[in-house]
Amino acid sequence: MLESGQDPAFCHVNLTLVRLQQQQPDLAIGHVRQAVAVGVQDADFLQLAAQLLEQAGALDEAEDILQRLPGDGCSGGISLPLAEFLLRQKRDLARALDAFNGACRQDPQDPRWQLRVAQTYLARNWRKEGLELLKKVIDDPRLDPVLRQEAQPLLTSQESG
C-alpha cells in the first residue's frame, strides 16, 4: 500500500506498531516521524510517538508532538500528557501544575493527578506540601500499583532527606 501511495498515514501508523511488536524501536521511530510528517492526528498514536521519541532521547521532537494534543478544560491549558512530560523533564512546572490541578478538579476520584501534584510540588522544592500530599496519595487504595511503585522511592528519599 505504501509503495503505491495509498493512505501513507495509515501505513506508517501500522508499520510503527509492527516494528514495536518486532522489538525494533529504531525502525518504529522512523515510521513515527513519517506518520507525523504526513499529518497523523490520532491522540493515542501521538502519545505513543512522543513516548518512543522521549525514550530515544529526542526530547524536542517528543515535546513538539505533545504540543499538538489539545489542552484540557476551557482555559487553554496544556494537555495532561504534555504536563507529565514537562514534570519528567523538570521544566515549566507552573504550567504542569495548573494542568494537574485542573485534572484533580475534573476527576477527584483519580489519585493519579494528586500524585502528579505532589511530585510537582516536590520538584518545585515545596517539600512540606509535597510530602504531605504524597503520603496521603500513596496510601489511597485506588492508586494504580504501577504509580504506587513509581511514588514509593520518592517518598523514601523525601522522608530520609
Side-chain angles (χ1 to χ4, degrees), residues 83-101:
E84 289 181 311
F85 172 84
L86 292 172
L87 174 60
R88 286 189 300 276
Q89 301 307 312
K90 306 259 188 277
R91 294 190 302 108
D92 212 351
L93 295 173
R95 287 179 59 207
L97 183 57
D98 286 344
F100 298 140
N101 280 330

Side-chain angles (χ1 to χ4, degrees), residues 70-87:
D72 296 320
C74 56
S75 63
I78 62 174
S79 69
L80 291 169
L82 177 56
E84 289 181 311
F85 172 84
L86 292 172
L87 174 60

Side-chain angles (χ1 to χ4, degrees), residues 12-13 31-41 45-46 49 53 65 68:
H12 287 299
V13 165
H31 289 292
V32 158
R33 289 179 171 135
Q34 291 177 315
V36 170
V38 297
V40 170
Q41 295 296 315
F45 179 78
L46 292 176
L53 290 165
I65 288 173
R68 298 173 187 213

